[in-house]
């Protein structure tokens, strides 16, 4: 009889954590999730999974709780998805971002080295590490040039993963994931802000959508597709870092236009305003990933395209407002 595999996920309550937990449960894993204890639990993304997963209290700022989580889960695989993940917030809280996003990853890596040295480790790296891009599209060989505290915190975590892999012979790898979205995306992210605002305008609950740089371009994919790539990376014979992207980018203006179109609203310009408050001190104009390696070496490709993604998100937000659901 094949022994059941165990996986520990940090950031379980986030968008990616919830989709990854679903995927691993479908594959028969025992799934453990590290959840930070807060006065108001944020469990809406994983409520439907609570009977099937093991929740462990912990915090990336507390090494002892990470040790305890590893001892409890005895993981074959560890996925470090926890972070302060909102780029705009990182400008206002750079020290917190570095502590959680960068040093938190180092704490997890060090804990895995000591308490689960045979586990395969996945680090959630980010396309924001490319920042002021040095080549288009961006591949695994493109130099990094982060343009935000979030970007340079992710870069430290990325290089820490490389260092632990090479120094301690750990199976540790990073997925350099480009923007990936879903109906479970937080409202602070531009994609979900747009689809939620469009839904509220559709329902007559709002009449304005205020945004920053409408010309910024991103390579947007579906989070459910991207967690498949995370899992595939830990099934390889040797650890390596991969860019995960669709290879197509779209502007924020394209996103807005399509979202209003999916809601049946054609005169979208009348509802949209540019607001200086949403401009970043140093913006990233264009991110476009080159997914050649992940497609060729792991046979991965996205199943949901940009139009399907936007439609999925808009329809989910319209349904939420129609039914009066309190879930974000």
């Amino acid at each position: 009889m094949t022994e059941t595999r165990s996986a520990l996920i940090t950031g379980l309550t986030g968008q990616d954590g919830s989709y990854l937990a679903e995927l691993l449960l479908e594959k028969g894993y025992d799934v453990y999730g590290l959840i930070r204890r807060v006065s108001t639990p944020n469990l809406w993304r994983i409520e439907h999974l609570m009977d099937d997963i093991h929740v462990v209290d912990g915090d990336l700022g507390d090494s002892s709780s990470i040790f305890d989580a590893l001892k409890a889960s005895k993981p074959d695989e560890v996925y470090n998805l926890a972070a302060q993940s909102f780029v705009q917030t990182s400008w206002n809280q750079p020290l917190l971002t570095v502590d959680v996003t960068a040093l938190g990853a180092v704490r997890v890596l060090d804990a895995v080295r000591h308490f689960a040295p045979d586990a395969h480790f996945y680090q959630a790296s980010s396309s924001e590490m490319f920042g002021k891009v040095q080549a288009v599209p961006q591949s695994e060989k493109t130099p990094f040039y982060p343009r935000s505290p979030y970007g340079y915190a992710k870069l430290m975590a990325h290089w820490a993963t490389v260092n632990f892999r090479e120094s301690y012979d750990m199976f540790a790898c990073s997925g350099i994931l480009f923007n990936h979205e879903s109906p479970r995306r937080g409202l602070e992210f531009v994609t979900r802000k747009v689809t939620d605002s469009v839904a509220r305008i559709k329902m007559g609950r709002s009449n304005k959508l205020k945004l920053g740089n409408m010309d910024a371009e991103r390579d947007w994919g579906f989070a459910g597709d991207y967690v498949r790539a995370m899992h595939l990376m830990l099934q390889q014979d040797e650890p390596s870092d991969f860019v995960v992207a669709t290879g197509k980018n779209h502007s924020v203006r394209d996103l807005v236009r399509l979202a209003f179109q999916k809601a049946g609203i054609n005169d979208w310009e009348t509802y949209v305003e540019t607001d200086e408050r949403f401009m970043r001190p140093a913006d990233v104009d264009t991110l476009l990933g080159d997914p050649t390696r992940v497609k060729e070496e792991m046979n991965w490709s996205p199943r949901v395209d940009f139009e399907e993604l936007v439609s999925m998100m808009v329809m989910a937000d319209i349904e939420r407002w129609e039914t009066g659901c309190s879930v974000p």
Side-chain angles (χ1 to χ4, degrees):
M1 180 180 294
T2 303
E3 185 177 350
T4 300
R5 305 183 77 187
S6 173
L8 173 64
I9 304 171
T10 72
L12 176 71
T13 59
Q15 169 189 257
D16 292 5
S18 65
Y19 280 112
L20 179 60
E22 287 178 346
L23 176 69
L24 296 178
L25 286 171
E26 289 172 4
K27 293 182 176 296
Y29 282 70
D30 279 337
V31 177
Y32 290 76
L34 188 73
I35 295 182
R36 183 163 54 93
R37 184 175 291 279
V38 291
S39 57
T40 304
N42 182 29
L43 304 177
W44 64 272
R45 296 180 181 91
I46 60 168
E47 283 178 337
H48 63 296
L49 303 176
M50 291 300 286
D51 291 338
D52 300 314
I53 59 181
H54 309 279
V55 173
V56 183
D57 290 332
D59 193 306
L60 261 61
D62 176 29
S63 294
S64 63
S65 68
I66 300 171
F67 300 159
D68 291 342
L70 290 169
K71 291 175 183 177
S73 59
K74 297 180 175 61
D76 297 290
E77 298 171 7
V78 177
Y79 296 86
N80 183 42
L81 310 185
Q84 190 300 101
S85 58
F86 187 39
V87 176
Q88 189 70 37
T89 296
S90 76
W91 287 105
N92 300 323
Q93 298 179 312
L95 296 180
L96 172 68
T97 300
V98 169
D99 186 60
V100 175
T101 305
L103 297 181
V106 176
R107 294 184 188 106
V108 177
L109 278 161
D110 200 46
V112 170
R113 179 169 78 92
H114 288 289
F115 294 97
D118 294 327
H120 287 196
F121 174 85
Y122 173 86
Q123 167 61 25
S125 288
S126 169
S127 59
E128 288 288 332
M129 300 187 309
F130 292 119
K132 187 176 181 180
V133 298
Q134 304 299 292
V136 179
Q138 295 87 55
S139 72
E140 293 83 359
K141 296 181 180 179
T142 304
F144 299 118
Y145 197 139
R147 295 270 282 174
S148 68
Y150 172 78
Y152 61 66
K154 278 291 187 184
L155 185 55
M156 176 179 171
H158 176 83
W159 281 116
T161 303
V162 172
N163 190 263
F164 271 76
R165 178 172 71 220
E166 295 179 351
S167 301
Y168 303 113
D169 197 28
M170 292 172 60
F171 192 110
C173 60
S174 291
I176 307 173
L177 271 57
F178 280 65
N179 297 65
H180 47 288
E181 320 296 323
S182 76
R184 300 179 192 174
R185 193 54 139 159
L187 289 171
E188 66 271 25
F189 291 88
V190 67
T191 47
R192 186 72 195 291
K193 177 181 178 179
V194 167
T195 62
D196 178 68
S197 296
V198 168
R200 287 190 289 112
I201 291 169
K202 173 75 172 179
M203 301 302 295
R205 295 173 177 263
S206 178
N207 59 12
K208 283 297 175 187
L209 168 58
K210 296 182 179 182
L211 294 167
N213 183 7
M214 294 274 286
D215 296 319
E217 295 183 335
R218 295 292 182 270
D219 185 329
W220 277 302
F222 173 50
D225 284 335
Y226 285 43
V227 299
R228 288 191 291 108
M230 296 178 189
H231 178 257
L232 284 169
M233 285 183 211
L234 299 197
Q235 314 315 308
Q236 303 306 298
D237 293 333
E238 298 293 335
S240 186
D241 306 321
F242 288 89
V243 163
V244 182
T246 70
K248 301 176 182 178
N249 64 358
H250 303 270
S251 68
V252 174
R253 184 172 282 99
D254 294 335
L255 166 69
V256 172
R257 184 188 303 114
L258 184 56
F260 275 102
Q261 177 187 321
K262 294 299 180 180
I265 302 172
N266 295 319
D267 55 340
W268 65 272
E269 295 98 333
T270 62
Y271 298 100
V272 180
E273 290 182 0
T274 299
D275 190 326
E276 292 294 326
R277 293 177 301 166
F278 301 116
M279 296 291 189
R280 298 176 184 173
D283 209 350
V284 175
D285 295 324
T286 301
L287 290 174
L288 175 63
D290 178 358
T292 299
R293 276 193 65 223
V294 71
K295 288 184 175 181
E296 292 181 352
E297 296 183 26
M298 300 200 305
N299 196 31
W300 177 91
S301 61
R303 297 169 181 169
V304 176
D305 65 21
F306 179 67
E307 183 171 348
E308 292 171 319
L309 172 63
V310 175
S311 179
M312 175 198 306
M313 294 177 67
V314 170
M315 293 303 106
D317 277 323
I318 290 175
E319 181 181 2
R320 180 171 60 87
W321 283 106
E322 285 179 338
T323 58
C325 179
S326 61
V327 169

